[in-house]
Amino acid sequence: MTNHHDATDPADHGPDSHGPDSRGTNDHGPDGQGSNDHRPDDHRAGDRVPDGHVPDERPATADNHPAHGSAHTGAAPAPDRPARLIDCPDFDAPVKLRSAAEMADALPYILGYRPEDCVVLLALHRQEGYSRFAGRVRLGIPKRTEDWRAVADELARCLVIGSARRGSLPDAVVVFVCREPRGDGTGPAVMEGLRPLAQYLRRACGGFGVPVVEALCLSAGRYWSYCCPDERCCPAEGTAMGLPGSSVLAAAAAYAGIRVRGPLRELRARLTPWEGPAAREQESALDTARARLMPEGGDRTERQDAFAATLALARTALNRLGAAPRDPDPTAADGADDALFSHDEAAALIIGLQDRDTRDAAAEWMEGPDGEAALRLWRTLARRCVGPYADHAAAPLSLAGWVAWSTGDGLEAREALAMALAADPDYLFARLLHRACNDGLSIETMRECIRQGGQEREAARARAADARRGPQPDRVAPAPRSARTAAALRRGKARQRAAGGARGPLPSGPPTRPGTRPRPAARPRPIASPRPVTRPGPGRPTEH
């Protein structure tokens, strides 16, 4: 499960073998991936009822949310029961949702993609007479129905405790379960099949003292309410949803430049390893590159040479991608990027990125044109981690998640990091980035950490280069001299020059500077003859 809040950390809340773990991965969704999009906004503190009490989960109060009749039909509420509106955040001018149909249509714009085969919980907080969407939790629907109860408890805990950590408990929750019919299935059959999961979620949220004011099933272009038994507003065949993009919220999102992506499976397909004959050729190239670049017993020099070669090859790849035209269709664009690299080039880069220093240095390509080209490169390499090299995808997937986050695409960042943890649950780089992204750390703070790491690596390489050159001979500093010693040395040198020593006699003649009086030539001092020394003999005194 991709955590967008730290409420799933078992270190704080206890482990749960059925729910998400501290790494944010799970095995309940159809592809082993889910998402916990918890983003509480500013809200007021709410009251919490004692544990074990399940409040009324029907929205029936005038000071809370609209009753089912007006909410589902879109009819104007009675004058004595004014409907409280639900506001979608992230717009300067609030967009107000007045019915279940509008809430169902708003879900893709809240998530940023069209949900598919998942369960979504949205927290509501009262604000100035209406409710505002705040935190959210998403998870792929577990394959085994036996896991539904435990997963429902974990999801409710993620949402409620996460909101409490950010300020206060939510005032209410809206539940969505989304699944398309398979084979000959129908929407009503899907709705009935997911009813137990919706009921578990309602009870789990009620256990935390937070009522579920609406629970909707979205399937086959229709929606059903699990909270309203009245077939006049919620018929058994479901209520048709409007055409995608035809609502007021869709128009506001288009005006604001908000892009809604397709299902997450399309995004994950861009990061999924190849299959087929091309995969076997790539596996053979990876075997060769591994034997060449990671020999048994390689020394430090070989490792440093591999580091430099990998970075040089990656820089060449970035330049190649930056110069290539970009196709607007994602599938065609990925195919064109794949064609730019041979199997051997991709294998050398994948094996080289398994080195931590190499990967950290590559993470510095995180902004501007380098960032865009790097994201394309890391996607390409993730698709080449085939067969037994699936765990090698943790490095390029982590880099893809980091660059996506740095360039403002939090959705792809979370999915890429979740896939990296699925490839290698113990990959520390992915775990740290995943937690930082979910906790809402400042992206500029993370960039500064990456830059500082690059500076430290440069300093370490400079020290290593100095060490390879060997120790340099140290110069011996002269001993300090006293004033008397220095004066004696000066007098001795003057006498030596006067006598025509090694430096010759002092210069005579006119001075070198104009306007000064000439100095008389120095007269050499006579050198006294040494006194004879008489050798001592027997009976003769020694002369001193």
Side-chain angles (χ1 to χ4, degrees):
M1 181 165 67
T2 303
N3 297 322
H4 296 234
H5 193 269
D6 54 358
T8 59
D9 193 341
D12 298 326
H13 308 298
D16 189 309
S17 60
H18 301 285
D21 59 14
S22 61
R23 295 182 297 272
T25 59
N26 74 87
D27 56 356
H28 300 304
D31 50 8
Q33 300 293 333
S35 176
N36 169 9
D37 304 313
H38 194 91
R39 295 178 182 170
D41 294 331
D42 295 335
H43 37 258
R44 299 183 297 103
D47 298 330
R48 180 171 176 176
V49 300
D51 292 340
H53 173 69
V54 181
D56 183 10
E57 298 168 344
R58 297 286 302 278
T61 61
D63 59 350
N64 190 353
H65 301 281
H68 275 279
S70 60
H72 289 277
T73 61
D80 58 338
R81 295 177 62 85
R84 294 297 186 253
L85 306 178
I86 297 176
D87 170 30
C88 181
D90 301 329
F91 295 99
D92 293 335
V95 178
K96 298 184 174 133
L97 311 179
R98 295 175 172 83
S99 67
E102 291 183 354
M103 284 195 295
D105 183 76
L107 187 59
Y109 300 94
I110 295 172
L111 298 178
Y113 58 91
R114 303 199 176 278
E116 184 180 82
D117 205 33
C118 65
V119 55
V120 181
L121 274 63
L122 296 179
L124 299 179
H125 291 274
R126 297 175 187 169
Q127 183 177 3
E128 299 178 357
Y130 57 88
S131 295
R132 181 182 181 91
F133 286 134
R136 65 179 183 262
V137 180
R138 185 194 65 84
L139 179 68
I141 297 176
K143 292 181 179 179
R144 302 191 334 161
T145 58
E146 295 85 354
D147 297 332
W148 285 4
R149 183 190 296 271
V151 169
D153 293 340
E154 183 67 17
L155 287 176
R157 186 183 66 164
C158 289
L159 186 66
V160 174
I161 294 182
S163 295
R165 285 182 171 180
R166 297 294 180 93
S168 69
L169 291 172
D171 296 306
V173 173
V174 177
V175 173
F176 297 89
V177 287
C178 312
R179 171 172 282 177
E180 293 301 314
R182 299 174 182 175
D184 297 332
T186 62
V190 171
M191 185 271 294
E192 289 298 334
L194 296 177
R195 184 182 291 274
L197 176 58
Q199 193 64 23
Y200 288 141
L201 290 167
R202 296 174 67 189
R203 291 176 179 173
C205 292
F208 285 96
V210 181
V212 174
V213 297
E214 185 59 284
L216 299 177
C217 174
L218 309 183
S219 180
R222 292 179 171 267
Y223 71 87
W224 291 259
S225 173
Y226 291 113
C227 294
C228 179
D230 190 350
E231 291 194 2
R232 291 175 298 177
C233 60
C234 300
E237 66 274 12
T239 303
M241 299 173 58
L243 293 175
S246 61
S247 66
V248 175
L249 180 60
Y255 179 78
I258 297 176
R259 179 169 58 99
V260 176
R261 298 184 178 184
L264 285 183
R265 57 182 170 82
E266 296 179 359
L267 190 153
R268 289 193 288 265
R270 306 186 69 183
L271 303 170
T272 302
W274 288 349
E275 295 180 356
R280 290 189 289 272
E281 295 176 5
Q282 184 63 62
E283 182 180 344
S284 177
L286 285 166
D287 291 337
T288 303
R290 181 183 179 88
R292 178 171 58 87
L293 298 175
M294 301 179 65
E296 295 293 335
D299 58 12
R300 184 177 182 85
T301 302
E302 292 179 351
R303 181 169 173 265
Q304 292 172 346
D305 292 342
F307 169 87
T310 302
L311 286 184
L313 183 58
R315 170 49 71 181
T316 302
L318 288 186
N319 296 337
R320 192 182 309 167
L321 286 166
R326 183 68 174 160
D327 196 301
D329 179 63
T331 302
D334 292 342
D337 291 346
D338 288 334
L340 294 176
F341 300 97
S342 66
H343 294 309
D344 293 336
E345 286 179 313
L349 287 170
I350 291 171
I351 298 302
L353 287 174
Q354 304 311 305
D355 177 70
R356 184 184 65 182
D357 291 340
T358 306
R359 178 209 63 201
D360 292 347
E364 297 180 41
W365 299 322
M366 56 189 171
E367 300 175 276
D370 278 351
E372 180 181 356
L375 181 56
R376 294 166 60 186
L377 176 61
W378 307 142
R379 287 186 193 134
T380 301
L381 297 183
R383 294 191 294 268
R384 303 286 189 110
C385 297
V386 298
Y389 293 93
D391 59 335
H392 285 50
L397 284 172
S398 298
L399 290 170
W402 160 240
V403 177
W405 184 24
S406 179
T407 54
D409 191 347
L411 177 61
E412 181 170 0
R414 292 181 177 93
E415 288 303 313
L417 293 172
M419 293 179 69
L421 290 172
D424 185 353
D426 298 323
Y427 201 66
L428 184 59
F429 186 57
R431 294 181 63 182
L432 293 175
L433 288 175
H434 192 253
R435 185 64 178 269
C437 185
N438 296 337
D439 287 352
L441 265 65
S442 168
I443 187 61
E444 186 55 37
T445 300
M446 297 299 299
R447 292 194 193 105
E448 187 59 33
C449 291
I450 296 294
R451 296 187 191 104
Q452 183 178 356
Q455 295 170 2
E456 293 175 353
R457 284 188 297 274
E458 288 294 335
R461 283 195 288 270
R463 291 193 298 269
D466 293 340
R468 286 195 297 270
R469 286 195 295 266
Q472 301 296 323
D474 296 332
R475 294 183 177 180
V476 179
R481 298 170 177 172
S482 65
R484 295 181 61 184
T485 304
L489 288 174
R490 285 195 298 271
R491 289 193 299 270
K493 290 180 179 179
R495 287 194 299 269
Q496 182 181 14
R497 295 176 66 183
R503 294 188 179 182
L506 290 174
S508 60
T512 57
R513 292 184 297 173
T516 59
R517 299 179 60 184
R519 286 184 307 180
R523 292 179 298 173
R525 294 179 59 187
I527 301 176
S529 300
R531 298 176 61 186
V533 179
T534 305
R535 293 181 179 276
R540 297 177 60 182
T542 303
E543 295 183 2
H544 294 283

